Amino acid sequence: MAWFSRVTRFADVHLCYAQEAANSCGIASVMMTVFKINKFSVSQAVHKEKEIYDQYSAITGSPYDGSQYSFASTLALALNGLKVGVWEGVFIGPTNVAQAIVDSVGCDNFGESLAAGPLAPAAWLVNQMRTRTPIIVLVGWNTSGAHFVVVDTVNKVGDKLYASVCDPWDGNVHITEFSLAAPFNYTACHVPGSWDLGGEKHEYAATSTGSPNGWVVRKKSP
């Protein structure tokens, strides 16, 4: 397990957490969500891990070791105990996930954050300090199984929408084009040009495709 700092082609900066065990994508998504809301530094995020594991273990009634499958409702309960607002794990149907992502995350017009130049500090600040709330989405693979991921940014280029999907399996960001008029299809594969400074993570040896099965973990509206 490890934290990885990623920069996308939209000049977005993301901290991704790589899951420790085969079934720990849910709690890894909770960790990323807490970080993104509180805007922790890397060192703070590392120290926060134990508190999140303890909170999750208190809810399930047994020490969490990453071997148990997670449910959206349980992840919402964990978030509710971590002082990041009121959350819900809810089934909204596969066709409503795309809209739910935009409703939670908001939408950035690409180029606005680059107004001062792609290398200027203002580019990072405009992107990171904008008010947004990540959403956890449960993706059902076309082969079998399911996987929790976090969407924390949506960029709009012309009339096209691109979601930044923070995937705990490979600790990377997968830019995913989507439309509000269609299911949010997700393709996970090796990210070219990505580099790491150490840390343990998995790799997508082959392309994996899927779409949300309708379950999301999102912050409730006031």
Side-chain angles (χ1 to χ4, degrees), residues 195-211:
W195 55 278
D196 306 319
L197 293 175
E200 299 178 5
K201 62 183 180 63
H202 304 89
E203 290 285 357
Y204 281 105
T207 298
S208 298
T209 58
S211 59

Side-chain angles (χ1 to χ4, degrees), residues 92 95-105 178-180 182 218:
I92 61 175
T95 59
N96 296 317
V97 171
Q99 184 64 58
I101 289 173
V102 172
D103 290 344
S104 292
V105 177
F178 72 104
S179 167
L180 297 181
R218 64 186 179 186

